[in-house]
Amino acid sequence: MTVPLSSHRRLTVSAALIAALTGALAPATTASAAAVTSPSADPTAIRTRTPAPDMAGVVAALESAMANGAPGAMARYVGPDGPRGRAVGVRDRESGTAMDTQARFRIGSVSKTFSSVVLLQLVEEGRLRLDTPVNTYLEGLLPDDRITVRHLLTHRSGLADYTDAMFNETVPGFEAVRNRVFSYQELVDLSLAEPRTTEPGAAYAYSNTNFVVVGMLIEKLTGRPVAEAYQRRIIKPLGLRATAYVHPDTRIKGTHVRGYLHPDEAGAPLVDSTQQTVSWAQSAGAVISSPADLNTFTSALMRGRLLSPATLEAMTTVTPTDGTNTRFYGLGLRRYDLSCGTRVYGHTGTVQGYYTYAFSTRDGRRSLSALANTSNHGAANTALGGTLEAAFCGKRPTPASFARSTRPSNTSAHAPLPAERDLPERH
């Protein structure tokens, strides 16, 4: 039975569950384990001054995404003074219709946070344990009984990402699966046909396979489709009217952004990738949403409206994903440490034709969602990431461009790191 939204605020978690939730993310012998960070030590939690968002810098980041190949881009920031939306370019190249901050779009791997929330609610209800082998619940699914539920949520299972081979050639790979409907088992089998990337728990290695298995767990434990779990546990309680799990229907209903995929060949025309089943991703990336709904979702999650305090503490306990010591991963959740010291939590998303960022501060008081309607062009994704710095850090003391090759006016002072890849990319 779904725990009512108000009940999550008052939920008392047993000492055993707290220990299970906050157990080690990796063996103590790994370098990343030594760097585990908890939000309880977050220095930004005691900041006395919240910087005003640099909306001109947000627009500059959106313009830079366009200069790097996106037909359009948009962002919506919510803070103490209310929402502020900005949009540039077009949401439909054929009609020339302007980008619209109320339009829906495919959010790609931001779906992983939805899946993680549902699975963690099931943990709270005692229906599974994070450190129990996956094969306990899905008998014989995986070839290694050491792979636990926690390993899936933290991308530490070692299961190969089947999308590496599937999209080795971007457009042909996409067209081969655009209208195909996969079973979960078929996707897992594609992964198991490839060598594993690490020993279970040894290291972070992003893999869509992990969240396909999460979807299988949700459906096994609830006895219902994952779409119903999203609806009952997240979408309806939060009033997310523009959000839905759409599979295998290929359409995006209502006002929506069309997505455009860059071919691997330089100068080749963009491919309209809007209509597709997204069956190749399912619980790893088939949710459709809007900027306002994503703001609501990430803020509500960080405010504790979906999970108990102990579970949220576990979800936001992170390990590094690269050597910069600014990017981390928890339980289906990214943390980015920005140049001003602010930490934001959420997820990035890539699905053919769409790049998405959806992040909030740990207290849930400020959130940003951003979209560029292209993919397979990492410079556009990196430029879009500049919206985080502008929105959460405000104006910088010295001007600089984060896309030096294109350099639009009013560009933010902080040059963002190359975007993390949720799918294979050639550009």
Side-chain angles (χ1 to χ4, degrees):
M1 183 177 75
T2 304
V3 177
L5 188 62
S6 59
S7 297
H8 281 294
R9 300 192 192 97
R10 303 189 302 270
L11 189 61
T12 300
V13 181
S14 69
L17 178 56
I18 293 174
L21 285 167
T22 57
L25 291 172
T29 55
T30 66
S32 60
V36 170
T37 342
S38 169
S40 61
D42 187 352
T44 64
I46 57 172
R47 293 176 66 92
T48 57
R49 178 181 175 274
T50 298
D54 176 12
M55 298 310 293
V58 169
V59 171
L62 301 178
E63 290 175 344
S64 185
M66 279 188 62
N68 281 286
M74 63 177 168
R76 186 177 187 270
Y77 169 83
V78 178
D81 296 327
R84 307 186 193 187
R86 300 291 187 271
V88 300
V90 298
R91 63 178 176 86
D92 186 329
R93 295 179 72 221
E94 185 174 346
S95 67
T97 306
M99 185 61 76
D100 183 348
T101 58
Q102 297 186 50
R104 306 172 77 213
F105 53 90
R106 301 190 185 279
I107 67 173
S109 289
V110 180
S111 307
K112 290 179 172 65
T113 305
F114 282 73
S115 296
S116 188
V117 167
V118 171
L119 201 68
L120 289 171
Q121 287 182 358
L122 294 172
V123 171
E124 290 183 343
E125 294 163 19
R127 301 170 79 169
L128 80 163
R129 295 173 180 269
L130 285 176
D131 295 310
T132 296
V134 172
N135 283 345
T136 300
Y137 309 105
L138 299 169
E139 186 176 357
L141 178 69
L142 303 180
D144 194 330
D145 286 339
R146 295 176 298 167
I147 298 174
T148 68
V149 176
R150 189 189 299 273
H151 291 150
L152 300 178
L153 295 179
T154 56
H155 290 294
R156 304 177 76 86
S157 69
L159 295 171
D161 192 341
Y162 57 86
T163 64
D164 290 345
M166 182 179 285
F167 301 125
N168 183 54
E169 294 181 273
T170 302
V171 172
F174 167 65
E175 295 294 0
V177 301
R178 182 199 280 262
N179 296 304
R180 185 168 173 181
V181 178
F182 291 92
S183 68
Y184 281 129
Q185 186 65 59
E186 286 176 307
L187 297 176
V188 172
D189 289 345
L190 289 174
S191 171
L192 297 182
E194 302 289 335
R196 279 186 274 167
T197 56
T198 68
E199 289 293 304
Y204 170 90
Y206 191 90
S207 175
N208 285 285
T209 308
N210 292 317
F211 280 81
V212 168
V213 179
V214 168
M216 296 177 77
L217 284 168
I218 290 170
E219 295 197 349
K220 176 67 179 293
L221 294 168
T222 64
R224 305 297 299 168
V226 72
E228 291 190 20
Y230 291 150
Q231 182 67 31
R232 292 179 58 214
R233 294 170 175 271
I234 300 174
I235 295 171
K236 185 176 179 179
L238 295 183
L240 306 181
R241 297 182 180 178
T243 302
Y245 177 77
V246 181
H247 171 264
D249 192 350
T250 62
R251 300 167 296 167
I252 305 177
K253 296 179 180 179
T255 301
H256 62 274
V257 179
R258 301 197 70 84
Y260 299 95
L261 176 63
H262 276 269
D264 294 338
E265 300 77 23
L270 299 179
V271 174
D272 188 325
S273 53
T274 309
Q275 292 195 332
Q276 59 165 306
T277 62
V278 199
S279 193
W280 61 265
Q282 299 188 51
S283 50
V287 173
I288 289 169
S289 192
S290 70
D293 276 10
L294 290 179
N295 290 143
T296 298
F297 171 62
T298 57
S299 290
L301 175 59
M302 291 297 102
R303 287 176 181 268
R305 295 185 62 198
L306 294 170
L307 299 170
S308 71
T311 306
L312 188 56
E313 174 81 4
M315 191 182 198
T316 55
T317 298
V318 297
T319 54
T321 61
D322 61 20
T324 67
N325 206 37
T326 61
R327 293 170 171 179
F328 306 83
Y329 208 89
L331 301 177
L333 196 70
R334 294 193 187 280
R335 189 186 91 193
Y336 285 173
D337 292 2
L338 304 179
S339 64
C340 58
T342 296
R343 294 173 173 175
V344 293
Y345 298 80
H347 217 290
T348 53
T350 301
V351 63
Q352 289 87 358
Y354 304 89
Y355 287 131
T356 304
Y357 286 76
F359 285 83
S360 176
T361 52
R362 182 61 180 83
D363 59 9
R365 295 181 66 244
R366 295 184 288 154
S367 66
L368 178 92
S369 55
L371 165 84
N373 58 343
T374 197
S375 68
N376 196 37
H377 212 265
N381 197 8
T382 297
L384 187 67
T387 58
L388 297 175
E389 284 284 334
F392 292 110
C393 291
K395 290 185 179 295
R396 309 302 293 164
T398 56
S401 171
F402 47 70
R404 300 182 186 282
S405 62
T406 54
R407 192 160 189 162
S409 60
N410 297 322
T411 305
S412 169
H414 183 75
L417 297 166
E420 293 187 284
R421 295 182 179 183
D422 296 333
L423 278 183
E425 295 200 331
R426 298 296 164 269
H427 295 293

